[in-house]
């Protein structure tokens, strides 16, 4: 009976308390640099900006498991200053050289725009390393799709998109403010990347007609310091691959969609749950919080999780976590 009462009281608390975002309890990180007004100033693309063709010295990279954002697709880019290289740091985030830019462009490949259906670019999120500190900024693509303008305040975009089965969907897509970006990317009192950890980069990619390991390819391109121990880097599973063990898929989903807050240095650090992939199950708090996890993920509203970045349910992701939680009984 006590445990039920505790759950009810917890869900009834103000959302900032539940998320442990009390500013007095944790130092809030801040951007350490200004961003140019137009994305063109970052020199990420060549030719027409909306073509998203990487400029010289800019590389596309891929992740094994990716963030869910209202079914939008993403292009991920890394720009490393000439003559500098990444250095692997085990399964975690690599050591990025000064001046590195990470860019992620969000788009719907089949959005309805008047009487036509075509790609609609929404935003490009930027992480830039300067003076040893990361700063986070977001650029909103204009209606003409020929430029993206820095937008620190955040905004909503109403649109209709069409899936692969020609089903039509309405979405009020949310472009996060600078403060919202920081709240997800904060680790202790610093801003850090989330996705490009060694284990999430350690995957097979296709280069032309060939397949090869992405880390090996980055070495060959001169973007990564040569390592003899690449084979020792773990591989984060692709949570969409149904041939992979259920637990590994579910924990990979939580790693990329939840663990940026639910870790020792994240905004939810005071909660009884740690969702990094490599935290042992017994230490994660998942069994104790399993009912709450399903309640928070499976319902939109004030207490929905993830708190930021989604306005609709990830039906496939929720089904995966439900199946995993059921397996723990």
């Amino acid at each position: 009976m006590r445990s039920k009462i505790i759950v009810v009281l917890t869900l009834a608390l103000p959302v900032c308390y539940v998320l442990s975002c009390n500013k007095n309890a944790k130092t809030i990180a801040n951007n350490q640099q200004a961003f140019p007004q137009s994305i063109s100033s970052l020199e990420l693309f060549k030719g027409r900006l909306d073509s998203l063709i990487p400029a010289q010295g800019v590389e596309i990279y891929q992740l094994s498991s990716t963030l869910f954002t209202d079914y939008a697709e993403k292009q991920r880019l890394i720009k490393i200053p000439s003559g500098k290289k990444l250095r692997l740091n085990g399964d975690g985030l690599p050591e990025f050289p000064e001046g590195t830019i990470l860019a992620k462009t969000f788009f719907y490949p089949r959005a309805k725009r008047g009487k036509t259906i075509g790609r609609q670019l929404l935003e490009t999120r930027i992480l830039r390393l300067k003076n040893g500190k990361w700063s986070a900024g977001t650029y909103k693509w204009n209606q003409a799709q020929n430029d993206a303008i820095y937008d620190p305040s955040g905004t909503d975009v109403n649109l209709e998109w069409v899936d692969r089965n020609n089903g039509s969907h309405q979405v009020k897509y949310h472009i996060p403010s600078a403060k919202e970006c920081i709240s997800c990317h904060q680790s202790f009192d610093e801003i850090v990347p989330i996705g490009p950890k060694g284990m999430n980069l350690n995957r097979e990619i296709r280069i032309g007609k060939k397949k090869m390991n992405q880390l090996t390819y980055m070495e060959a391109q001169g973007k990564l310091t040569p390592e003899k121990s690449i084979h020792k880097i773990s591989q984060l599973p692709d949570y969409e691959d149904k041939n992979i063990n259920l637990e590994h898929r579910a924990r990979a989903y939580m790693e990329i969609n939840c663990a940026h807050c639910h870790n020792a240095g994240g905004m939810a650090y005071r909660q009884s749950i740690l969702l990094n992939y490599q935290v042992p199950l017994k230490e994660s708090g998942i069994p104790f919080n399993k009912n709450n996890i399903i309640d928070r993920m499976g319902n939109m509203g004030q207490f929905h999780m993830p708190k930021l970045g989604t306005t609709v349910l990830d039906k496939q992701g929720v089904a995966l976590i439900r199946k995993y939680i059921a397996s723990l009984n």
Side-chain angles (χ1 to χ4, degrees):
M1 185 64 181
R2 288 185 179 177
S3 62
K4 291 183 179 179
I5 293 175
I6 290 172
V7 170
V8 172
L9 289 175
T10 300
L11 292 178
L13 290 171
V15 67
C16 270
Y17 187 91
V18 173
L19 291 176
S20 297
C21 57
N22 183 338
K23 293 184 178 181
N24 295 322
K26 188 176 183 68
T27 302
I28 305 299
N30 291 300
N31 279 334
Q32 301 296 313
Q33 57 183 289
F35 285 86
Q37 195 67 15
S38 170
I39 200 170
S40 60
S41 299
L42 297 176
E43 299 181 337
L44 296 171
F45 308 109
K46 64 181 180 182
R48 287 170 51 105
L49 290 179
D50 64 342
S51 67
L52 301 184
I53 299 174
Q56 183 71 27
V58 181
E59 295 284 343
I60 292 175
Y61 70 92
Q62 300 177 41
L63 302 178
S64 293
S65 277
T66 61
L67 181 72
F68 172 79
T69 315
D70 290 356
Y71 296 100
E73 297 190 14
K74 296 108 176 173
Q75 181 206 57
R76 295 172 177 82
L77 300 176
I78 183 168
K79 182 180 181 180
I80 301 174
S82 178
K84 297 184 179 181
K85 299 180 181 182
L86 297 178
R87 183 181 296 276
L88 289 176
N89 185 24
D91 291 343
L93 287 169
E95 296 175 14
F96 294 92
E98 178 74 10
T100 295
I101 295 177
L102 297 173
K104 183 164 59 174
T105 297
F106 296 69
F107 62 92
Y108 288 93
R110 301 182 69 201
K112 287 188 176 181
R113 307 187 70 200
K115 296 182 180 180
T116 64
I117 295 178
R119 184 171 70 175
Q120 181 171 349
L121 308 177
L122 296 168
E123 59 165 325
T124 298
R125 300 179 189 177
I126 301 293
L127 284 174
R128 187 164 63 167
L129 184 62
K130 185 177 181 180
N131 297 326
K133 300 287 186 181
W134 289 99
S135 290
T138 300
Y139 287 79
K140 178 184 177 181
W141 287 85
N142 61 18
Q143 200 66 23
Q145 300 280 275
N146 59 13
D147 197 6
I149 305 302
Y150 180 57
D151 182 11
S153 59
T155 189
D156 293 332
V157 179
N158 293 300
L159 62 90
E160 185 175 357
W161 63 280
V162 180
D163 63 30
R164 296 175 183 176
N165 298 317
N166 290 321
S168 185
H169 307 268
Q170 301 279 346
V171 64
K172 188 176 183 180
Y173 183 93
H174 180 65
I175 297 175
S177 67
K179 288 183 178 180
E180 288 173 322
C181 289
I182 292 170
S183 70
C184 285
H185 283 274
Q186 178 159 342
S187 179
F188 296 98
D189 60 350
E190 294 185 333
I191 299 169
V192 298
I194 295 172
K197 294 181 178 179
M199 64 178 177
N200 210 6
L201 293 169
N202 188 19
R203 53 159 290 168
E204 188 177 73
I205 59 173
R206 182 178 292 276
I207 304 297
K209 295 183 179 180
K210 296 182 179 180
K211 292 182 179 181
M212 64 185 303
N213 178 274
Q214 181 168 232
L215 295 178
T216 301
Y217 174 74
M218 292 175 74
E219 275 191 358
Q221 294 297 109
K223 304 298 182 183
L224 179 67
T225 301
E227 294 278 351
K228 295 181 180 179
S229 58
I230 283 181
H231 66 282
K232 295 182 180 179
I233 303 294
S234 301
Q235 288 185 309
L236 187 69
D238 175 0
Y239 63 76
E240 295 183 340
D241 186 349
K242 295 182 180 180
N243 293 316
I244 295 175
N245 172 277
L246 173 62
E247 180 180 12
H248 293 169
R249 290 175 59 212
R251 293 298 302 274
Y253 183 93
M254 291 177 173
E255 161 72 31
I256 197 65
N257 285 283
C258 314
H260 48 272
C261 281
H262 289 281
N263 71 80
M267 293 301 289
Y269 73 104
R270 298 182 99 179
Q271 301 303 304
S272 60
I273 186 167
L274 299 172
L275 296 178
N276 295 99
Y277 179 74
Q278 292 172 320
V279 172
L281 179 62
K282 291 182 179 180
E283 299 173 17
S284 70
I286 292 173
F288 178 78
N289 290 280
K290 59 185 179 182
N291 293 330
N292 203 19
I293 291 171
I294 293 300
D295 288 342
R296 301 290 288 274
M297 287 186 63
N299 296 283
M300 297 304 298
Q302 183 182 12
F303 298 108
H304 171 69
M305 287 291 173
K307 184 60 185 174
L308 298 174
T310 60
T311 66
V312 299
L313 287 181
D314 178 4
K315 294 180 181 179
Q316 294 78 15
V318 172
L320 169 64
I321 301 304
R322 282 187 186 277
K323 188 175 181 179
Y324 170 58
I325 293 298
S327 74
L328 300 179
N329 294 332

